[in-house]
Amino acid sequence: MAKSATDLMQEILFSTVLDSIVALKDASNGLPNPLLRELNSIHPNTTYADLPREVQSAIATNVRSAFTRLLKEGYSVSPGTEPRRAPPAASAPTHRPRGGERRPPRSGGPGPKRGPGSGSGPGNKPPRRP
């Protein structure tokens, strides 16, 4: 009888955790203080590179064997396909106007005139009246 994917993944993860604990013990050479130090250095933000070489090796071996075991059990192990994006709408412009081309005004009229003496900011002072 074929195992469910959940049962199979639980077995794989359980054996991986046990192998990693054994690898931690091997990394400490059987001494309690280094083992405690290694255990205390593991936290939620620990990266793969932060782990001892023995644990990295155990994880790499377990990952390879997990994929092999999944394939033997008949499960497909392949990258998922990304959903295709819809093509852009035909009404959207396909190019930007260049320097010499004129753009149509954004609103109904030409807008406020901007020139020397208009607006606010340094250098744009209103003209003095006599």
Side-chain angles (χ1 to χ4, degrees):
M1 181 173 155
K3 293 182 181 179
S4 71
T6 304
D7 292 339
L8 187 60
M9 286 306 298
Q10 284 177 351
E11 285 180 20
I12 290 170
L13 290 173
F14 183 72
S15 68
T16 302
V17 169
L18 289 179
D19 289 346
S20 298
I21 291 171
V22 170
L24 272 173
K25 286 181 178 180
D26 291 344
S28 68
N29 296 322
L31 300 173
N33 286 341
L35 177 61
L36 283 174
R37 213 173 302 130
E38 292 293 340
L39 284 173
N40 287 330
S41 69
I42 298 173
H43 52 82
N45 292 331
T46 301
T47 63
Y48 183 76
D50 295 335
L51 297 172
R53 274 191 229 126
E54 292 85 354
V55 177
Q56 290 177 8
S57 163
I59 290 172
T61 303
N62 282 312
V63 167
R64 279 192 296 272
S65 67
F67 279 110
T68 304
R69 187 168 176 193
L70 285 170
L71 289 172
K72 283 182 182 176
E73 291 285 333
Y75 291 98
S76 174
V77 181
S78 63
T81 57
E82 294 181 17
R84 292 186 168 230
R85 290 194 265 176
S91 63
T94 57
H95 70 281
R96 288 185 168 178
R98 296 190 182 172
E101 298 179 21
R102 291 210 166 245
R103 287 188 198 180
R106 290 186 179 186
S107 60
K113 300 285 182 196
R114 301 202 186 238
S118 67
S120 63
N124 287 334
K125 295 180 183 177
R128 291 189 180 187
R129 293 190 180 182

